[in-house]
Amino acid sequence: MSTEHGKGGDAADAARSPHQEDDDALGELGYRPELKRTLGNFHTFAAGISYISILTGTFQLFYFGVSFGGPAYWWSWPMVFVGQLMVALCFCELAARFPVAGSVYNWGKQLGGKHVGWLGGWMMLTATMVSLAAVALAYQITLPQISDFFQFIGDGSGTTDAAKNAVLLGSVLILFTTLVNAFGVKLMARINSAGVLIELIAAVVLIVLLAAHITRGPSAITETGGLGEGQNLGYFGAFLTASLASAYVMYGFDTASSLGEESLDPSRNAPRAILRALVFSFLIGGLILLFALLAVPDLHAKELSVDGLQYVVLSTLGSTIGEIVLWCVVIAITVCELAVQAAGIRLAFAMARDGCLPASSLLAKVSPRFQTPVLPAIIIGLVGVGILVININQPQIFSVITSIAIIMIYLAYLLVTLPMLVRRLRGQWQPAEGKFSLGKFGLPVNILAVLWGAAMSLNLAWPRAEVYNATGPQHWYLRWGAFLFIGIVACGGFAYYWFVQRHKAGVLAEHRFEEPPVDPTTPR
């Protein structure tokens, strides 16, 4: 990347580093540059799309969507895309204006003040650790289908065999991603970009192969299977439950901007990466789901709502090709986990740099060797494993952990889009000059983003027995688990911040930007 210099080519301008403009933008926010800028266009795009992870999400929760919504659940995919697109467009303006690590936290702070920023960052950080555990569970849904060898605990028929084995496989994955992220962003980006490339190629090949095996017409995605009959909301209620399967996939696009301090020209590249990641995921994921439903030999097979997309691939494409595809899914899950943890590390670093977390000076310390915050990588990894271990004997571990992770991220996004809307209504929001801007569409897009975020958060948290207490006995605290867990995290966390940490908040001296001394002999 090159930087435009003033005419005359004076020595001061000539000495500017090629990334000086990016560093100047960071300095305006009060921070000195510490992280190494090495990520180009594809790296930032890959970070966003690997967090969304088409193959991870579709293969992990296809069974859930079909179980509760039948083939017609497919329509939740475009519904979620449109809603998340409104959020992403707001984020694009923010990424252009504030190209800084820990995007959600810093955006919330700039828009709604330090208290709103802290709560949004805390919700996102906690959600990241829960999400790290949720993504790790996807290994259990895929690896044992490739070979019984990966079912290390029991034979899979026991009540808790799958849950215990999921904890074991997930812990191994988290250990791997923790080590990679601790060794620096360059190694993470290389592995992530290679994995994303494999994932995209595999996804396109899968679409072609499934399309070649289509056995029914598009009318199949209007079948509801009689689901929702006898319920108060009818099929609409069943559809809202099934929409969780789509809502799980299309989030995390802000990761492209969270790596802003390690990216080249982030104020221009991050908005593009956010939109490309979301649109590519929608198109490719939508086609995979569509052709899977049109190609599966038996649309009413019990395995469809048990083994999900893995069953479709193996039964439609045969064991050899099917297993190759599933290995690509394993790669996708791995790079997704890498991206989730990488985003969490930058968020923890950003909050600690502002003195907003316990032991902030240690959490914000950047390793001189690896040029990345190492301690947050270790802590986030340990908490992720801890969440898995706590739930080791819980058979409904998959849907419960997944649901809670999604809701917290939707709420964190809402803590950005809502204060942004308030600023727009007060006439206080100004996009970055000459960069991404929604123009006259900003207000309606922002309103839709807030309405979508609030409605979907409520839908995902609704105390449905089939989501939060799928197997007996029924307990009220499981049914209301999302409200209880998130309430404790939000209220408990904010109480700690209000009474303890806010008095210590402020950019730590070692991370604070300071204007270089002016040499009086230098001509102006």
Side-chain angles (χ1 to χ4, degrees):
M1 176 189 138
S2 61
T3 303
E4 195 79 24
H5 298 303
K7 293 180 180 180
D10 63 46
D13 281 347
R16 288 163 64 89
S17 76
H19 313 312
Q20 193 64 50
E21 187 177 338
D22 300 334
D23 293 342
D24 289 345
L26 186 62
E28 290 175 7
L29 295 173
Y31 306 115
R32 69 180 184 86
E34 297 176 80
L35 306 178
K36 189 175 182 180
R37 292 192 184 276
T38 57
L39 307 183
N41 290 349
F42 185 77
H43 291 127
T44 52
F45 163 73
I49 204 166
S50 63
Y51 196 127
I52 298 174
S53 193
I54 313 154
L55 295 183
T56 301
T58 54
F59 274 80
Q60 189 173 14
L61 283 176
F62 177 84
Y63 84 94
F64 186 93
V66 174
S67 297
F68 295 104
Y73 109 88
W74 182 88
W75 293 100
S76 67
W77 189 260
M79 179 191 77
V80 170
F81 168 71
V82 172
Q84 291 296 75
L85 179 61
M86 300 300 104
V87 177
L89 288 170
C90 292
F91 282 9
C92 287
E93 277 198 335
L94 288 163
R97 177 84 180 271
F98 307 115
V100 61
S103 50
V104 168
Y105 160 70
N106 271 305
W107 294 344
K109 183 180 72 173
Q110 294 292 333
L111 296 168
K114 59 182 181 180
H115 300 322
V116 171
W118 188 91
L119 185 58
W122 173 246
M123 294 289 281
M124 192 70 182
L125 183 59
T126 309
T128 297
M129 292 184 283
V130 177
S131 191
L132 195 71
V135 172
L137 293 173
Y139 261 11
Q140 175 63 25
I141 301 178
T142 304
L143 284 172
Q145 298 240 25
I146 296 174
S147 172
D148 292 336
F149 169 79
F150 295 105
Q151 184 64 44
F152 296 107
I153 299 176
D155 58 4
S157 62
T159 307
T160 59
D161 283 0
K164 290 179 178 178
N165 202 66
V167 170
L168 176 61
L169 294 176
S171 299
V172 172
L173 174 58
I174 292 174
L175 174 62
F176 170 75
T177 58
T178 299
L179 290 173
V180 171
N181 273 300
F183 276 103
V185 71
K186 198 167 185 179
L187 175 62
M188 185 280 294
R190 283 176 177 172
I191 295 175
N192 189 62
S193 297
V196 165
L197 193 59
I198 293 171
E199 179 178 4
L200 291 175
I201 293 171
V204 172
V205 170
L206 179 59
I207 290 169
V208 173
L209 291 174
L210 289 173
H213 290 80
I214 287 177
T215 59
R216 59 185 63 83
S219 62
I221 57 173
T222 63
E223 292 190 27
T224 63
L227 295 166
E229 292 181 2
Q231 297 181 15
N232 292 334
L233 296 177
Y235 181 71
F236 182 64
F239 179 79
L240 288 178
T241 303
S243 66
L244 187 153
S246 297
Y248 175 77
V249 185
M250 281 185 272
Y251 69 88
F253 36 80
D254 59 296
T255 304
S257 55
S258 197
L259 295 170
E261 293 180 36
E262 294 150 284
S263 305
L264 308 177
D265 198 7
S267 60
R268 295 186 187 278
N269 290 334
R272 298 170 189 163
I274 289 171
L275 286 181
R276 287 171 184 166
L278 184 61
V279 172
F280 268 71
S281 297
F282 164 68
L283 293 175
I284 295 176
L287 289 174
I288 289 174
L289 296 175
L290 175 63
F291 291 145
L293 290 167
L294 301 184
V296 64
D298 181 3
L299 197 58
H300 305 288
K302 180 182 178 181
E303 292 85 353
L304 202 61
S305 57
V306 176
D307 297 327
L309 208 50
Q310 288 86 338
Y311 162 73
V312 177
V313 169
L314 292 172
S315 63
T316 304
L317 306 180
S319 60
T320 302
I321 296 178
E323 286 180 11
I324 293 173
V325 171
L326 293 185
W327 274 116
C328 292
V329 173
V330 172
I331 293 173
I333 295 167
T334 305
V335 295
C336 177
E337 191 82 338
L338 269 175
V340 169
Q341 194 166 9
I345 292 167
R346 274 72 194 169
L347 179 57
F349 167 74
M351 294 182 72
R353 180 172 57 183
D354 279 358
C356 288
L357 295 175
S360 286
S361 59
L362 293 175
L363 288 170
K365 185 176 178 60
V366 176
S367 166
R369 180 179 178 185
F370 303 119
Q371 293 186 288
T372 194
V374 174
L375 186 58
I378 297 171
I379 292 176
I380 290 172
L382 288 174
V383 173
V385 172
I387 292 170
L388 291 178
V389 172
I390 289 171
N391 291 277
I392 197 165
N393 288 316
Q394 182 60 269
Q396 53 255 41
I397 184 174
F398 300 101
S399 59
V400 174
I401 287 188
T402 297
S403 301
I404 291 173
I406 299 166
I407 300 161
M408 295 181 73
I409 290 174
Y410 272 70
L411 289 174
Y413 285 178
L414 194 58
L415 286 168
V416 172
T417 56
L418 183 57
M420 187 181 194
L421 177 59
V422 172
R423 281 192 168 255
R424 284 189 195 276
L425 293 173
R426 291 176 176 173
Q428 297 174 339
W429 171 249
Q430 187 64 42
E433 187 176 347
K435 295 174 183 176
F436 188 94
S437 173
L438 292 172
K440 62 182 180 181
F441 298 105
L443 181 59
V445 166
N446 204 158
I447 291 172
L448 290 173
V450 170
L451 292 175
W452 162 256
M456 202 59 183
S457 296
L458 183 61
N459 174 43
L460 293 167
W462 200 255
R464 301 177 176 93
E466 58 266 33
V467 176
Y468 295 103
N469 203 167
T471 60
Q474 297 294 308
H475 298 289
W476 69 269
Y477 52 84
L478 288 179
R479 289 278 294 273
W480 292 86
F483 288 93
L484 288 172
F485 181 83
I486 295 171
I488 291 170
V489 169
C491 296
F494 194 75
Y496 168 80
Y497 170 74
W498 184 263
F499 292 109
V500 180
Q501 203 64 39
R502 75 184 176 101
H503 303 294
K504 307 174 186 177
V507 182
L508 301 181
E510 60 268 32
H511 302 279
R512 192 180 303 134
F513 174 78
E514 295 182 4
E515 290 282 356
V518 179
D519 186 348
T521 63
T522 301
R524 298 196 173 195

